[in-house]
């Protein structure tokens, strides 16, 4: 009997978890734009926004390999409820301070770190809890529906954020976010199911030690197999290519383009829509273009996008600025979507199954590790120069870097 989305929707625990996840993703995406807008509005500092982006990444990079082991013997439902409740309290406190005009950028940075710390534990707990809501023969349909609805809510939230800020201000996005956290925590707390816990008798220290051994073995494996190391470095570069935009997006839209929060939302929606299409198009493009040539094209487009961002403020016609920004951002999204699928699929193809778990921990760490470093560097540079030269020089360096990588012989094997 063929299993469809209607069948997984009938599962009560899965259905409630799905709806809670959709509400949480909607609130997160609204707050992502609002928080960026608020941070730049408070500080007017590109250095500070870059530091915030870098700090955002640290809990995930540092804790991601160990979070799963640390929560293995604890109820995943309790972890999710605790993390969502804690983020509700933090966001409520931020909203209160903002409305009283008492919000301090340093405190906001601390809250950002705590929010991402909770998220680093919530993500693996959410993955395990999702699996517990589904019978094994429905995993594929359940995960697919969960991811597609999550991405849809992310797009809707990103689009709504600009309208909310334009209508009621940043406080509206904060209120949406805290309400989403509260509803999510309450809904998950009402789900009743038997949680699987395969490691009841294994101490947490042993799990963490095992993770450390896996990472060490994975590192040795990647150093021996040069093509896998090149793939990991390539994935890292693809992530780094978006760091200037992620660090300065509010400053760029608000300062360099004199745009509104609606334009910032449009930029994010364009990239997200492009990413969905890019992931879908990759298998068809791969039939006609080798991964080596595709990577070179992706590197040139990513570098070119940064150069376009540097040039757009000099365009006098506002309509062409909008068209140029949203059109190039959509193309960037397609490029990033293709690049993510290329790196992930190529990694899985070149790593033997018995080494996949060990190598994947290092792959994930390497893929994200340089993002906070580059963010701190471009933030420091922004203290002595405008952000537009940073975009331009970064774009040139990025293109030259991918042209150089094109000459590495292992690129033919990717």
């Amino acid at each position: 009997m063929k299993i469809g989305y209607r069948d997984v929707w009938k599962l009560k625990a899965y259905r409630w978890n799905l709806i809670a996840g959709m509400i949480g993703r909607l609130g997160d995406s609204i707050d992502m734009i609002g928080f960026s807008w608020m941070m730049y509005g408070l500080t007017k500092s590109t250095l500070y926004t870059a530091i915030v982006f870098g700090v955002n990444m640290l809990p995930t990079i540092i804790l991601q390999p160990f979070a799963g082991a640390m929560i293995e013997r604890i109820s995943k439902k309790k972890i999710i409820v605790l993390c969502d409740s804690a983020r509700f309290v933090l966001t409520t406190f931020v909203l209160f301070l903002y409305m009283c005009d008492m919000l301090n950028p340093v405190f906001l940075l601390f809250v950002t770190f705590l929010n991402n710390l909770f998220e680093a534990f919530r993500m693996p707990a959410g993955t395990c809890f999702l699996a517990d809501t589904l019978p094994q023969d429905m995993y594929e349909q359940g995960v697919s529906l969960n991811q597609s609805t999550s991405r849809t809510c992310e797009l809707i939230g990103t689009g709504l954020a600009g309208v909310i800020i334009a209508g009621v201000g940043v406080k509206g996005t904060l209120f949406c976010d805290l309400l989403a956290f509260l509803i999510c925590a309450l809904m998950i707390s009402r789900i009743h199911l038997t949680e699987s816990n395969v490691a009841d008798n294994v101490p947490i220290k042993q799990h963490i030690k095992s993770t450390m051994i896996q990472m060490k073995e994975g590192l040795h494996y990647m150093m021996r197999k040069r093509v896998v190391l090149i793939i990991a470095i390539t994935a890292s570069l693809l992530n780094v290519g978006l760091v200037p935009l992620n660090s300065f997006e509010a400053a760029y839209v608000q300062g360099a383009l004199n745009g509104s929060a609606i334009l910032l939302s449009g930029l994010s929606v364009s990239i997200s829509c492009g990413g969905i299409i890019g992931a879908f198009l990759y298998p068809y493009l791969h039939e006609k273009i080798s991964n080596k040539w595709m990577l070179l094209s992706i590197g040139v487009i990513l570098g070119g996008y940064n150069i376009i961002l540097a040039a757009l403020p000099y365009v006098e016609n506002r309509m062409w600025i909008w068209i140029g920004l949203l059109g190039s951002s959509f193309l960037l999204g397609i490029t990033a979507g293709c690049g993510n699928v290329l790196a992930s699929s190529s990694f899985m193809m070149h790593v033997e199954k018995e080494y996949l778990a060990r190598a994947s921990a290092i792959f994930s760490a390497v893929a994200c590790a340089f993002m906070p470093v580059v963010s701190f560097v471009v933030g420091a540079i922004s203290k002595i120069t405008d952000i537009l030269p940073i975009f331009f020089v970064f774009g040139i360096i990025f293109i030259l870097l991918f042209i150089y990588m094109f000459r590495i012989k292992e690129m033919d094997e990717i």
Side-chain angles (χ1 to χ4, degrees):
M1 177 178 162
K2 187 177 180 180
I3 298 172
Y5 291 137
R6 186 176 295 178
D7 299 302
V8 295
W9 179 256
K10 291 177 182 177
L11 301 172
K12 186 178 180 181
Y14 174 81
R15 183 169 67 249
W16 281 98
N17 184 55
L18 179 71
I19 295 171
M22 291 169 65
I23 293 171
R25 179 54 58 190
L26 187 69
D28 272 345
S29 56
I30 290 174
D31 181 62
M32 179 182 68
I33 301 296
F35 190 90
S36 177
W37 197 258
M38 176 177 63
M39 179 61 76
Y40 183 69
L42 280 173
T43 64
K44 296 297 180 183
S45 168
T46 52
L47 171 62
Y48 210 82
T49 55
I51 289 174
V52 169
F53 175 72
V55 169
N56 260 340
M57 300 298 302
L58 289 179
T60 302
I61 294 170
I62 296 170
L63 288 174
Q64 193 175 42
F66 310 103
M70 294 169 73
I71 67 171
E72 191 66 46
R73 299 172 63 218
I74 309 171
S75 166
K76 311 306 179 293
K77 172 181 163 181
K78 289 180 180 177
I79 291 172
I80 294 171
V81 172
L82 177 63
C83 290
D84 285 343
S85 299
R87 294 170 76 189
F88 162 73
V89 172
L90 284 173
T91 308
T92 303
F93 195 42
V94 169
L95 177 60
F96 172 76
L97 292 177
Y98 180 79
M99 293 184 70
C100 294
D101 199 23
M102 297 166 56
L103 194 57
N104 186 300
V106 176
F107 173 75
L108 205 53
L109 181 64
F110 177 66
V111 169
T112 300
F113 180 81
L114 285 181
N115 266 327
N116 285 276
L117 186 67
F118 289 126
E119 183 67 13
F121 286 98
R122 198 220 187 269
M123 285 182 66
T127 301
C128 295
F129 192 72
L130 173 63
D132 285 335
T133 64
L134 291 164
Q136 195 167 358
D137 60 344
M138 292 186 178
Y139 277 178
E140 187 176 333
Q141 292 80 8
V143 172
S144 176
L145 182 60
N146 185 73
Q147 289 183 352
S148 59
T149 53
S150 178
R151 181 56 69 91
T152 301
C153 287
E154 184 178 318
L155 285 173
I156 294 171
T158 304
L160 283 175
V163 178
I164 293 171
I165 294 173
V168 297
V170 171
K171 60 181 179 291
T173 63
L174 290 171
F175 180 77
C176 288
D177 198 31
L178 70 87
L179 190 62
F181 285 139
L182 178 61
I183 294 173
C184 204
L186 290 174
M187 289 183 71
I188 296 294
S189 69
R190 301 300 298 169
I191 296 175
H192 301 288
L193 54 79
T194 303
E195 294 186 56
S196 60
N197 199 339
V198 297
D200 282 331
N201 299 318
V202 182
I204 294 176
K205 286 185 178 180
Q206 188 173 329
H207 273 293
I208 296 175
K209 184 178 179 181
S210 175
T211 303
M212 291 291 291
I213 292 172
Q214 278 197 345
M215 291 184 70
K216 184 178 179 180
E217 291 177 348
L219 181 60
H220 288 165
Y221 173 81
M222 291 180 69
M223 295 304 292
R224 289 198 313 269
K225 196 161 184 178
R226 187 173 162 83
V227 65
V228 178
L229 181 62
I230 294 296
I231 294 170
I233 292 172
T234 301
S236 178
L237 288 175
L238 293 177
N239 286 329
V240 164
L242 295 174
V243 167
L245 175 65
N246 290 327
S247 299
F248 303 136
E249 59 180 357
Y252 178 74
V253 171
Q254 193 174 344
L257 297 182
N258 294 315
S260 66
I262 293 177
L263 181 58
L264 182 59
S265 288
L267 187 156
S268 298
V269 168
S270 297
I271 294 175
S272 297
C273 288
I276 296 171
I277 294 172
F280 176 78
L281 287 178
Y282 171 76
Y284 302 98
L285 294 174
H286 183 52
E287 292 176 1
K288 303 180 182 298
I289 309 171
S290 70
N291 279 345
K292 180 180 179 180
W293 279 99
M294 195 180 297
L295 277 173
L296 176 63
S297 303
I298 290 171
V300 170
I301 292 172
L302 279 170
Y305 178 75
N306 282 279
I307 295 172
I308 289 172
L309 292 180
L312 278 176
Y314 298 100
V315 177
E316 293 183 1
N317 190 305
R318 297 291 299 174
M319 184 184 72
W320 283 113
I321 290 178
W322 277 66
I323 292 173
L325 180 64
L326 301 183
S328 60
S329 297
F330 181 71
L331 177 61
L332 173 77
I334 294 176
T335 302
C338 286
N340 289 335
V341 177
L342 188 159
S344 299
S345 59
S346 185
F347 174 79
M348 294 180 70
M349 284 176 59
H350 286 86
V351 177
E352 294 86 349
K353 284 188 177 180
E354 60 267 27
Y355 286 101
L356 196 56
R358 281 167 280 188
S360 62
I362 295 296
F363 178 81
S364 299
V366 172
C368 298
F370 295 107
M371 294 176 70
V373 175
V374 175
S375 180
F376 295 148
V377 170
V378 296
I381 295 173
S382 72
K383 286 293 291 182
I384 57 176
T385 185
D386 188 64
I387 61 172
L388 298 183
I390 295 175
F391 280 120
F392 181 79
V393 173
F394 188 89
I396 296 294
I397 293 173
F398 206 77
I399 292 172
L400 293 176
L401 190 58
F402 268 81
I403 291 174
Y404 169 76
M405 288 188 66
F406 187 76
R407 302 174 60 184
I408 299 174
K409 63 179 182 178
E410 284 81 6
M411 292 293 285
D412 292 318
E413 302 176 42
I414 292 180

